[in-house]
PDB file of all heavy atoms in Angstrom:
ATOM      1  N   LYS A  42      -3.762   9.693   5.488  1.00 95.00           N
ATOM      2  CA  LYS A  42      -4.755   9.194   4.539  1.00 95.00           C
ATOM      3  C   LYS A  42      -4.268   7.872   3.947  1.00 95.00           C
ATOM      4  O   LYS A  42      -3.135   7.466   4.154  1.00 95.00           O
ATOM      5  CB  LYS A  42      -4.967  10.207   3.404  1.00 95.00           C
ATOM      6  CG  LYS A  42      -5.469  11.551   3.855  1.00 95.00           C
ATOM      7  CD  LYS A  42      -6.936  11.486   4.230  1.00 95.00           C
ATOM      8  CE  LYS A  42      -7.491  12.877   4.466  1.00 95.00           C
ATOM      9  NZ  LYS A  42      -8.911  12.829   4.866  1.00 95.00           N
ATOM     10  N   GLU A  43      -5.165   7.216   3.186  1.00 95.00           N
ATOM     11  CA  GLU A  43      -4.777   5.965   2.574  1.00 95.00           C
ATOM     12  C   GLU A  43      -4.003   6.214   1.280  1.00 95.00           C
ATOM     13  O   GLU A  43      -4.154   7.260   0.647  1.00 95.00           O
ATOM     14  CB  GLU A  43      -6.029   5.108   2.274  1.00 95.00           C
ATOM     15  CG  GLU A  43      -6.903   5.612   1.131  1.00 95.00           C
ATOM     16  CD  GLU A  43      -7.903   6.658   1.566  1.00 95.00           C
ATOM     17  OE1 GLU A  43      -7.732   7.287   2.638  1.00 95.00           O
ATOM     18  OE2 GLU A  43      -8.867   6.838   0.802  1.00 95.00           O
ATOM     19  N   PRO A  44      -3.195   5.244   0.848  1.00 95.00           N
ATOM     20  CA  PRO A  44      -2.518   5.378  -0.449  1.00 95.00           C
ATOM     21  C   PRO A  44      -3.545   5.359  -1.581  1.00 95.00           C
ATOM     22  O   PRO A  44      -4.534   4.635  -1.528  1.00 95.00           O
ATOM     23  CB  PRO A  44      -1.627   4.129  -0.519  1.00 95.00           C
ATOM     24  CG  PRO A  44      -1.536   3.616   0.877  1.00 95.00           C
ATOM     25  CD  PRO A  44      -2.818   3.991   1.538  1.00 95.00           C
TER      26      PRO A  44
ATOM     27  N   GLY B   3     -16.692   3.018  -2.430  1.00 93.00           N
ATOM     28  CA  GLY B   3     -15.288   2.809  -2.110  1.00 93.00           C
ATOM     29  C   GLY B   3     -15.143   1.682  -1.117  1.00 93.00           C
ATOM     30  O   GLY B   3     -16.105   1.006  -0.749  1.00 93.00           O
ATOM     31  N   VAL B   4     -13.919   1.466  -0.662  1.00 96.00           N
ATOM     32  CA  VAL B   4     -13.648   0.478   0.360  1.00 96.00           C
ATOM     33  C   VAL B   4     -13.900   1.119   1.723  1.00 96.00           C
ATOM     34  O   VAL B   4     -13.358   2.187   2.006  1.00 96.00           O
ATOM     35  CB  VAL B   4     -12.193  -0.022   0.273  1.00 96.00           C
ATOM     36  CG1 VAL B   4     -11.916  -1.038   1.368  1.00 96.00           C
ATOM     37  CG2 VAL B   4     -11.905  -0.614  -1.108  1.00 96.00           C
ATOM     38  N   SER B   5     -14.722   0.474   2.497  1.00 97.00           N
ATOM     39  CA  SER B   5     -15.100   1.040   3.789  1.00 97.00           C
ATOM     40  C   SER B   5     -14.493   0.221   4.919  1.00 97.00           C
ATOM     41  O   SER B   5     -14.596  -1.012   4.929  1.00 97.00           O
ATOM     42  CB  SER B   5     -16.627   1.037   3.917  1.00 97.00           C
ATOM     43  OG  SER B   5     -17.029   1.516   5.174  1.00 97.00           O
ATOM     44  N   GLN B   6     -13.849   0.903   5.874  1.00 98.00           N
ATOM     45  CA  GLN B   6     -13.256   0.214   7.013  1.00 98.00           C
ATOM     46  C   GLN B   6     -13.816   0.793   8.308  1.00 98.00           C
ATOM     47  O   GLN B   6     -14.055   1.981   8.415  1.00 98.00           O
ATOM     48  CB  GLN B   6     -11.732   0.357   7.022  1.00 98.00           C
ATOM     49  CG  GLN B   6     -11.046  -0.400   5.895  1.00 98.00           C
ATOM     50  CD  GLN B   6      -9.533  -0.392   6.058  1.00 98.00           C
ATOM     51  OE1 GLN B   6      -8.823   0.201   5.248  1.00 98.00           O
ATOM     52  NE2 GLN B   6      -9.039  -1.053   7.103  1.00 98.00           N
ATOM     53  N   ARG B   9     -12.714   3.547  12.548  1.00 97.00           N
ATOM     54  CA  ARG B   9     -11.671   4.428  12.013  1.00 97.00           C
ATOM     55  C   ARG B   9     -10.491   4.487  12.981  1.00 97.00           C
ATOM     56  O   ARG B   9      -9.341   4.524  12.546  1.00 97.00           O
ATOM     57  CB  ARG B   9     -12.270   5.821  11.787  1.00 97.00           C
ATOM     58  CG  ARG B   9     -11.343   6.781  11.083  1.00 97.00           C
ATOM     59  CD  ARG B   9     -11.252   6.464   9.594  1.00 97.00           C
ATOM     60  NE  ARG B   9     -10.431   7.471   8.917  1.00 97.00           N
ATOM     61  CZ  ARG B   9      -9.102   7.362   8.787  1.00 97.00           C
ATOM     62  NH1 ARG B   9      -8.461   6.324   9.305  1.00 97.00           N
ATOM     63  NH2 ARG B   9      -8.419   8.299   8.168  1.00 97.00           N
ATOM     64  N   CYS B  23     -13.641  -4.771   7.084  1.00 98.00           N
ATOM     65  CA  CYS B  23     -13.431  -4.184   5.767  1.00 98.00           C
ATOM     66  C   CYS B  23     -14.582  -4.565   4.853  1.00 98.00           C
ATOM     67  O   CYS B  23     -14.912  -5.756   4.711  1.00 98.00           O
ATOM     68  CB  CYS B  23     -12.118  -4.673   5.160  1.00 98.00           C
ATOM     69  SG  CYS B  23     -11.877  -4.160   3.447  1.00 98.00           S
ATOM     70  N   TYR B  90      -4.095  -0.233   9.943  1.00 98.00           N
ATOM     71  CA  TYR B  90      -4.416  -1.451   9.198  1.00 98.00           C
ATOM     72  C   TYR B  90      -5.263  -1.051   7.998  1.00 98.00           C
ATOM     73  O   TYR B  90      -6.356  -0.513   8.129  1.00 98.00           O
ATOM     74  CB  TYR B  90      -5.119  -2.466  10.096  1.00 98.00           C
ATOM     75  CG  TYR B  90      -4.146  -3.021  11.113  1.00 98.00           C
ATOM     76  CD1 TYR B  90      -3.910  -2.345  12.315  1.00 98.00           C
ATOM     77  CD2 TYR B  90      -3.408  -4.171  10.848  1.00 98.00           C
ATOM     78  CE1 TYR B  90      -2.977  -2.820  13.226  1.00 98.00           C
ATOM     79  CE2 TYR B  90      -2.475  -4.652  11.758  1.00 98.00           C
ATOM     80  CZ  TYR B  90      -2.263  -3.961  12.933  1.00 98.00           C
ATOM     81  OH  TYR B  90      -1.335  -4.427  13.835  1.00 98.00           O
ATOM     82  N   LEU B  91      -4.709  -1.303   6.829  1.00 97.00           N
ATOM     83  CA  LEU B  91      -5.337  -0.898   5.580  1.00 97.00           C
ATOM     84  C   LEU B  91      -5.920  -2.115   4.870  1.00 97.00           C
ATOM     85  O   LEU B  91      -5.285  -3.163   4.793  1.00 97.00           O
ATOM     86  CB  LEU B  91      -4.311  -0.241   4.659  1.00 97.00           C
ATOM     87  CG  LEU B  91      -3.738   1.101   5.116  1.00 97.00           C
ATOM     88  CD1 LEU B  91      -2.456   1.401   4.363  1.00 97.00           C
ATOM     89  CD2 LEU B  91      -4.742   2.213   4.911  1.00 97.00           C
ATOM     90  N   CYS B  92      -7.097  -1.942   4.352  1.00 97.00           N
ATOM     91  CA  CYS B  92      -7.716  -2.965   3.523  1.00 97.00           C
ATOM     92  C   CYS B  92      -7.762  -2.424   2.098  1.00 97.00           C
ATOM     93  O   CYS B  92      -7.991  -1.222   1.886  1.00 97.00           O
ATOM     94  CB  CYS B  92      -9.128  -3.245   4.039  1.00 97.00           C
ATOM     95  SG  CYS B  92     -10.074  -4.400   3.035  1.00 97.00           S
ATOM     96  N   ALA B  93      -7.542  -3.274   1.141  1.00 94.00           N
ATOM     97  CA  ALA B  93      -7.611  -2.861  -0.262  1.00 94.00           C
ATOM     98  C   ALA B  93      -8.362  -3.918  -1.048  1.00 94.00           C
ATOM     99  O   ALA B  93      -8.355  -5.101  -0.688  1.00 94.00           O
ATOM    100  CB  ALA B  93      -6.209  -2.682  -0.836  1.00 94.00           C
ATOM    101  N   SER B  94      -8.996  -3.502  -2.112  1.00 92.00           N
ATOM    102  CA  SER B  94      -9.659  -4.484  -2.971  1.00 92.00           C
ATOM    103  C   SER B  94      -9.336  -4.188  -4.424  1.00 92.00           C
ATOM    104  O   SER B  94      -8.901  -3.084  -4.782  1.00 92.00           O
ATOM    105  CB  SER B  94     -11.177  -4.506  -2.738  1.00 92.00           C
ATOM    106  OG  SER B  94     -11.804  -3.340  -3.219  1.00 92.00           O
ATOM    107  N   THR B 106      -7.515  -0.346  -4.690  1.00 90.00           N
ATOM    108  CA  THR B 106      -8.230   0.755  -4.047  1.00 90.00           C
ATOM    109  C   THR B 106      -8.199   0.484  -2.552  1.00 90.00           C
ATOM    110  O   THR B 106      -8.688  -0.565  -2.099  1.00 90.00           O
ATOM    111  CB  THR B 106      -9.679   0.835  -4.538  1.00 90.00           C
ATOM    112  OG1 THR B 106      -9.678   1.025  -5.956  1.00 90.00           O
ATOM    113  CG2 THR B 106     -10.385   2.011  -3.878  1.00 90.00           C
ATOM    114  N   PHE B 107      -7.649   1.418  -1.804  1.00 94.00           N
ATOM    115  CA  PHE B 107      -7.519   1.251  -0.361  1.00 94.00           C
ATOM    116  C   PHE B 107      -8.688   1.898   0.371  1.00 94.00           C
ATOM    117  O   PHE B 107      -9.251   2.899  -0.095  1.00 94.00           O
ATOM    118  CB  PHE B 107      -6.232   1.902   0.151  1.00 94.00           C
ATOM    119  CG  PHE B 107      -4.992   1.080  -0.063  1.00 94.00           C
ATOM    120  CD1 PHE B 107      -4.256   1.212  -1.220  1.00 94.00           C
ATOM    121  CD2 PHE B 107      -4.564   0.182   0.905  1.00 94.00           C
ATOM    122  CE1 PHE B 107      -3.107   0.460  -1.427  1.00 94.00           C
ATOM    123  CE2 PHE B 107      -3.419  -0.575   0.714  1.00 94.00           C
ATOM    124  CZ  PHE B 107      -2.688  -0.439  -0.457  1.00 94.00           C
ATOM    125  N   GLY B 108      -9.005   1.336   1.518  1.00 96.00           N
ATOM    126  CA  GLY B 108      -9.906   2.003   2.451  1.00 96.00           C
ATOM    127  C   GLY B 108      -9.124   3.019   3.261  1.00 96.00           C
ATOM    128  O   GLY B 108      -7.896   3.121   3.138  1.00 96.00           O
ATOM    129  N   SER B 109      -9.832   3.762   4.119  1.00 96.00           N
ATOM    130  CA  SER B 109      -9.192   4.811   4.912  1.00 96.00           C
ATOM    131  C   SER B 109      -8.364   4.265   6.053  1.00 96.00           C
ATOM    132  O   SER B 109      -7.604   4.999   6.671  1.00 96.00           O
ATOM    133  CB  SER B 109     -10.258   5.753   5.470  1.00 96.00           C
ATOM    134  OG  SER B 109     -10.978   6.360   4.420  1.00 96.00           O
ATOM    135  N   GLY B 110      -8.521   2.979   6.336  1.00 97.00           N
ATOM    136  CA  GLY B 110      -7.698   2.356   7.368  1.00 97.00           C
ATOM    137  C   GLY B 110      -8.307   2.430   8.747  1.00 97.00           C
ATOM    138  O   GLY B 110      -9.206   3.237   9.025  1.00 97.00           O
ATOM    139  N   THR B 111      -7.819   1.565   9.611  1.00 98.00           N
ATOM    140  CA  THR B 111      -8.135   1.610  11.040  1.00 98.00           C
ATOM    141  C   THR B 111      -6.831   1.874  11.773  1.00 98.00           C
ATOM    142  O   THR B 111      -5.870   1.118  11.615  1.00 98.00           O
ATOM    143  CB  THR B 111      -8.733   0.276  11.533  1.00 98.00           C
ATOM    144  OG1 THR B 111     -10.002   0.071  10.929  1.00 98.00           O
ATOM    145  CG2 THR B 111      -8.880   0.298  13.057  1.00 98.00           C
TER     146      THR B 111
END
Side-chain angles (χ1 to χ4, degrees):
Chain A
K42 299 285 189 181
E43 72 275 19
Chain B
V4 179
S5 177
Q6 291 188 246
R9 187 75 176 89
C23 173
Y90 290 85
L91 293 162
C92 175
S94 70
T106 301
F107 280 90
S109 300
T111 294

